[in-house]
Each structure stands twice: as structure tokens, then as C-alpha cells.
Amino acid sequence: MKSVMGIIYTNKDDLSLRELTSQRSVAALPLAGRYRVVDFILSSMANSGIRNVGVIMQRNYRSLMDHLGAGKEWDLHTRNNGLFILPPFVTQENGGEYTGVLDALRANFDYLRRSKQRLALLTNSNMVFNMNFEDMIRRHEETDADITLLYTKVRKNMELGSTNKRTHAFLQVDEEGRVTDMEVNPNAASYDNMYMNVLLVKRTLLIHLVDGAAAHGSHDINRELLQPSIKSGSLKVYGYEFKGYYRRIETIKSYFRCNMDLLDSNVRRELFTANPVYTKTRDDVPAIYREGNSVRNSLVGDGCVIEGSVENCVLFRGVHIGRGAVLKNCIIMQDSEVEDFVELENVILDKNVTIRNHGRLIGQSQYPIVIGKNVTL
């Protein structure tokens, strides 16, 4: 789809994700045994035929940049267009973070102006969903909209992190699909249409809007650009409903629940069957299940060696579970080792963590225990 470019804004590291984002961005968080969070939105763009994608980086972007590389896995390593890594300009005053999406777009005006596509698809990076944007783009053109916002219905199992409320917006959409009101960070939302922080807009109009917002000292794209435009009717803003699986990664709890969701075959079928999800490959041997092992309802990555009992867990590549170890409701990231006779429940281990013999960690499903990278206990 040559007429559309993609822009992925990587969210700031958030304190509510604690150790998991101390050395990486939210977009680079490992998920589902082999993926990163950014893989889902990037694959959705690639599957929609978008061949020019810019990723706006912020602080702690080395892990994300290493994962994305030249974009080969997403077929974005082309001579024309392709994947563009847009790191922040670091000064004494600016430590590598943007105040908001508008600041990030203003800092990357050269990339916006240099691109040739007619439309721009702007998204955040802390979301897990999988869709083809072609129908949304078609609807945008049929309605002659200035901006089309992607939204989904609020469901009971959605955890909306209270520490991150600044990103929450809810839409009123009329029968024709036009957005007539937007609530930003309400204590109790009047509408059940949650804006997914994905918008489609004409590239030249985006440049004009960002330039005008920057000239007036605006930073918040929802409150200071979209909300006034919808209220005044100065722009034709339409909504497009997404009906599939969707979860926003904002807190430890939402990250934990997202991984646990993927143990459900129905969720996996919905998320992976319609459109493939691509990721950086790592050639490894198949998982080895030694005598005495017991594995139930778990995702197990390549290169794992399992000698103990594993139930309702997500094991990433290269994990070793020792003899007599018992794991329930755990997320064990790449190359971690759980030694003999260890008991873990509701625990998240980051990469290269070692739990020594006879260790015991028991967390709660609402508040799982998190152990950071390269720690030995």
C-alpha cells in the first residue's frame, strides 16, 4: 500500500512496569515466549502493505534498536522506503525523552516532509493486537474524513492502569461513524468506546496540525489537538471499531495478564491466525523434556530444558527448569535458570536470572513478584 506511511511512537518507560522497563522501552518487552510488544503493531503494518515505517525512539532504546535491526523480518529492508529508526536528539536539557507525541513529531519533521505517502498511520507501541488496516483506510477515504480514530469497546477484563491515566480517551460515535465527543482521563467514562491511540490522517494535514500545535506550546495530542477539533467541528473526525483481542501494556498486572491470556487457545487463534506476527529469529534446538517432567497448559520456547513441573507458564527460549522444581503461573524470560527443587508461583523472571536450589518465591496473581535482569537469588 504505497499511499500510507506508518509512524510508531515508543512510549516512555513507566515506573508502573518497574524492573521490566529499567533497561528497555515498553515496546521491547518480551511477550508470549518469543515476541516483543512492538512486533504486533509492526506486523500489522507490514501485513497491510505499509512499506515506510518510522519508529520514534526515546530513552533506553538500545534493546529495541537491536531487536528491529534493518527490518528484515518484517520485509522492511528495501532500498526505497523501509524501516527508519528515529532516535531522540539528546542535549543537557533533554535527556532523550519527549514531552508528548506532538513534540516527537515536531522533532522528526524532516522525516515527515521527506516521505512521499499521502496518508500517515500514527500509533503508540504499548498495545497488543493484530489487524489489517486496509478496511480502515478504505473507510477513511469513503467518508472523506480528515482523521480516523481506531477504537474498541471496553471489556470487563481490561486493566486500565491508574498510574497511566493520561493516555486514556473515550469516544462518542454517532450512527454514521463520526466522532462527536472525546473524554480524556475521566474518572468515570461516559462512553464505552476506548480510543486505541491509533489514528489515520493525511500526511500534509498532520504536518500542518503539528506545526500549529507546537507554535501554541501544545504537547498532548489527545487533549490539545484532537479534543478541541472534535468539539468545534473544525475537522471531520470519524471512528473505526476494532472487534478483536486488545490489551494495553501499562502495568505489571496488565503485562502478566496478557501473557496468561495467551495460554488460552481461543485467544492465540484470534491473535495469530488471521495475520502472521513476525519477530527477530533465533535458531535454536527444540525444547527437551527430560524424564520426570510435567508440563500443563504452557507456552515453551525453543532451546528449553525441562526436568521439573510446569503449569500455566510462559517459558522463553533457552530456559532451564531443574529436577524437582515446581512452577505455576510464571513468566520466565530468555536464558534464565531455575535450579533443582525450586518453587515459584505468580513470578516474573527477566532475562538471565538464576534461582538457586531450594529457592521459594510465592506471589499473588494480582501482584506477581518481579525479578530484574541478570539477578541470582
Side-chain angles (χ1 to χ4, degrees):
M1 189 172 293
K2 296 181 180 179
S3 63
V4 184
M5 64 180 294
I7 305 170
I8 301 175
Y9 172 75
T10 60
N11 304 66
K12 291 182 181 180
D13 304 334
D14 196 274
L15 293 177
S16 59
L17 284 161
R18 308 198 316 254
E19 296 90 344
L20 296 180
T21 53
S22 62
Q23 299 181 47
R24 62 164 76 91
S25 65
V26 180
L29 266 178
L31 190 77
R34 59 173 301 190
Y35 300 96
R36 305 290 183 109
V37 172
V38 74
D39 291 337
F40 292 86
I41 187 63
L42 194 55
S43 297
S44 294
M45 289 184 175
N47 291 327
S48 304
I50 298 174
R51 289 293 174 264
N52 175 14
V53 179
V55 182
I56 300 176
M57 302 282 189
Q58 297 201 66
R59 185 171 60 88
N60 288 345
Y61 59 86
R62 185 191 62 80
S63 176
L64 180 59
M65 190 166 64
D66 177 66
H67 175 71
L68 295 177
K72 180 180 178 182
E73 285 77 10
W74 301 270
D75 196 25
L76 292 173
H77 59 308
T78 57
R79 178 174 297 178
N80 298 319
N81 297 313
L83 180 68
F84 294 88
I85 304 297
L86 306 171
F89 185 72
V90 181
T91 64
Q92 288 184 344
E93 295 77 20
N94 176 19
E97 291 186 357
Y98 296 111
T99 307
V101 178
L102 294 176
D103 288 337
L105 292 172
R106 187 73 176 85
N108 291 281
F109 255 16
D110 287 344
Y111 168 65
L112 280 172
R113 291 195 180 103
R114 188 173 64 245
S115 299
K116 304 298 183 183
Q117 286 75 18
R118 188 171 57 85
L119 299 174
L121 184 70
L122 174 64
T123 81
N124 278 8
S125 63
N126 62 342
M127 307 167 293
V128 177
F129 71 101
N130 187 3
M131 74 172 286
N132 191 308
F133 293 109
E134 291 184 359
D135 191 54
M136 178 182 175
I137 295 165
R138 192 179 304 111
R139 186 79 58 84
H140 175 83
E141 294 176 335
E142 289 173 354
T143 57
D144 193 29
D146 293 314
I147 298 175
T148 298
L149 306 180
L150 187 66
Y151 69 91
T152 189
K153 295 291 184 183
V154 176
R155 302 177 182 90
K156 291 182 179 179
N157 63 348
M158 286 183 177
E159 282 93 15
L160 303 180
S162 59
T163 59
N164 223 13
K165 287 177 96 174
R166 65 185 180 275
T167 64
H168 296 167
F170 300 85
L171 309 176
Q172 183 181 42
V173 183
D174 65 19
E175 294 179 356
E176 296 180 354
R178 186 157 182 170
V179 178
T180 56
D181 190 21
M182 169 185 271
E183 292 183 338
V184 180
N185 306 336
N187 288 325
S190 303
Y191 319 118
D192 63 351
N193 303 315
M194 186 172 69
Y195 172 46
M196 294 170 58
N197 291 321
V198 177
L199 69 84
L200 183 65
V201 61
K202 191 176 180 180
R203 181 180 59 86
T204 53
L205 176 59
L206 179 62
I207 292 173
H208 171 73
L209 292 173
V210 171
D211 194 36
H216 289 86
S218 300
H219 304 286
D220 190 323
I221 191 171
N222 290 346
R223 190 182 294 280
E224 298 178 287
L225 195 157
L226 292 176
Q227 194 177 46
S229 298
I230 293 169
K231 187 175 181 180
S232 66
S234 59
L235 294 175
K236 290 176 62 178
V237 181
Y238 280 77
Y240 183 88
E241 183 181 356
F242 174 69
K243 299 180 180 179
Y245 176 85
Y246 171 79
R247 190 177 284 277
R248 192 177 296 183
I249 307 299
E250 294 178 326
T251 62
I252 293 292
K253 181 181 176 182
S254 62
Y255 173 75
F256 184 76
R257 287 310 319 159
C258 185
N259 278 278
M260 294 298 106
D261 285 348
L262 295 175
L263 297 178
D264 185 338
S265 60
N266 293 324
V267 174
R268 291 200 304 274
R269 192 177 302 113
E270 181 179 345
L271 196 57
F272 293 102
T273 301
N275 303 295
V277 179
Y278 310 104
T279 190
K280 182 180 179 181
T281 58
R282 167 175 153 169
D283 295 330
D284 214 331
V285 299
I288 299 174
Y289 300 86
R290 295 267 169 83
E291 185 178 354
N293 83 87
S294 173
V295 179
R296 297 179 181 178
N297 192 39
S298 298
L299 296 179
V300 179
D302 293 341
C304 290
V305 178
I306 301 178
E307 300 178 83
S309 173
V310 175
E311 183 177 353
N312 299 330
C313 293
V314 177
L315 307 185
F316 286 74
R317 292 174 284 201
V319 168
H320 178 221
I321 306 300
R323 181 171 51 90
V326 178
L327 279 70
K328 294 182 180 179
N329 308 322
C330 294
I331 302 169
I332 313 297
M333 295 190 198
Q334 190 168 297
D335 297 325
S336 290
E337 182 170 3
V338 178
E339 294 187 352
D340 298 346
F341 304 105
V342 167
E343 185 179 357
L344 301 179
E345 185 172 350
N346 297 316
V347 172
I348 301 173
L349 303 185
D350 209 327
K351 290 184 176 181
N352 297 300
V353 171
T354 300
I355 306 297
R356 295 296 190 191
N357 294 332
H358 301 280
R360 187 171 185 266
L361 293 173
I362 307 295
Q364 298 179 2
S365 60
Q366 299 295 317
Y367 301 99
I369 296 173
V370 181
I371 306 299
K373 260 185 182 181
N374 304 315
V375 172
T376 299
L377 292 179

